Amino acid sequence: VGGGNAGEIASRTTVSEMANYITKNPIENATNKYAIVNYFQDSIDQINKKIFEMARRYEQNKGMATTLALLYAKGGMAYIGNVGDSRVYLYRDNELVQLTEDHTYVNTLVKAGILTEEQAECHNKKNVITKAVGADTTVEPDFFQVNIMKDDVFILCTDGLYDEVSKEEMVEILNLDLSMSETCDKLIELANDNGGNDNITVISLKATEEDSNEQ
């Protein structure tokens, strides 16, 4: 989380701890959507507790926290979770759709009808988040699921990308039908060309026919 202490430590710890959790607790044992949600809720709870404790114990880490976006594909379904304002997008049939919901102050105002989406884009508090991993003793992620179709492309990214690159610009790059690594490179390059005012993280995943038919 930008503006706080040791955000990079919180982010790095979240990734490594998630990997450790999956290694110690085989995800294959989660055999239905409820078990999968519970699996990731438990992992995030444990990670949140660790980061919150690290922030409490060490003065240099005080207030550290991180956003989180995750995606797990199984049985022709994509299971998605998020905390904060990192996003997951789905690109399908030349259309880009945001699957996650930002946990931000301005998005709360948009949902309440106080701000329009256009007003939110230029609001001076648009980057103030209302949820983050490690920010409090507990955290409540959002979870979503969507059917996977062949050639679906999922984009997981931080606000360093979407604050600089519009959806229309993202679609232009996705329409080039590049490899996923080339797609990420192009998106990051454009974000930097457009200002590059924040760290940029992008992951692109393209579904195969096997992914869409997996049982």
Side-chain angles (χ1 to χ4, degrees), residues 68-70 80-89 97-103 107 142 144 155 157:
L68 170 67
L70 63 88
I80 296 154
N82 77 295
V83 180
D85 62 353
S86 288
R87 293 179 178 177
V88 180
Y89 290 94
V97 178
Q98 181 182 337
L99 298 179
T100 52
E101 183 176 295
D102 297 343
H103 299 141
N107 192 48
D142 286 343
F144 309 88
I155 304 289
C157 65

Side-chain angles (χ1 to χ4, degrees), residues 3 6 36 45 50 57-58 69 96 103 115 147 176 196 207 211 213:
I36 290 169
D45 284 343
K50 182 179 181 71
R57 184 177 300 174
Y58 305 106
L96 187 67
H103 299 141
L115 290 179
N147 289 315
L176 297 175
D211 294 323
N213 295 326

Side-chain angles (χ1 to χ4, degrees), residues 184-197:
C184 289
D185 289 343
K186 285 284 189 182
L187 289 169
I188 292 170
E189 181 182 0
L190 183 56
N192 283 321
D193 288 345
N194 287 352
N197 293 304

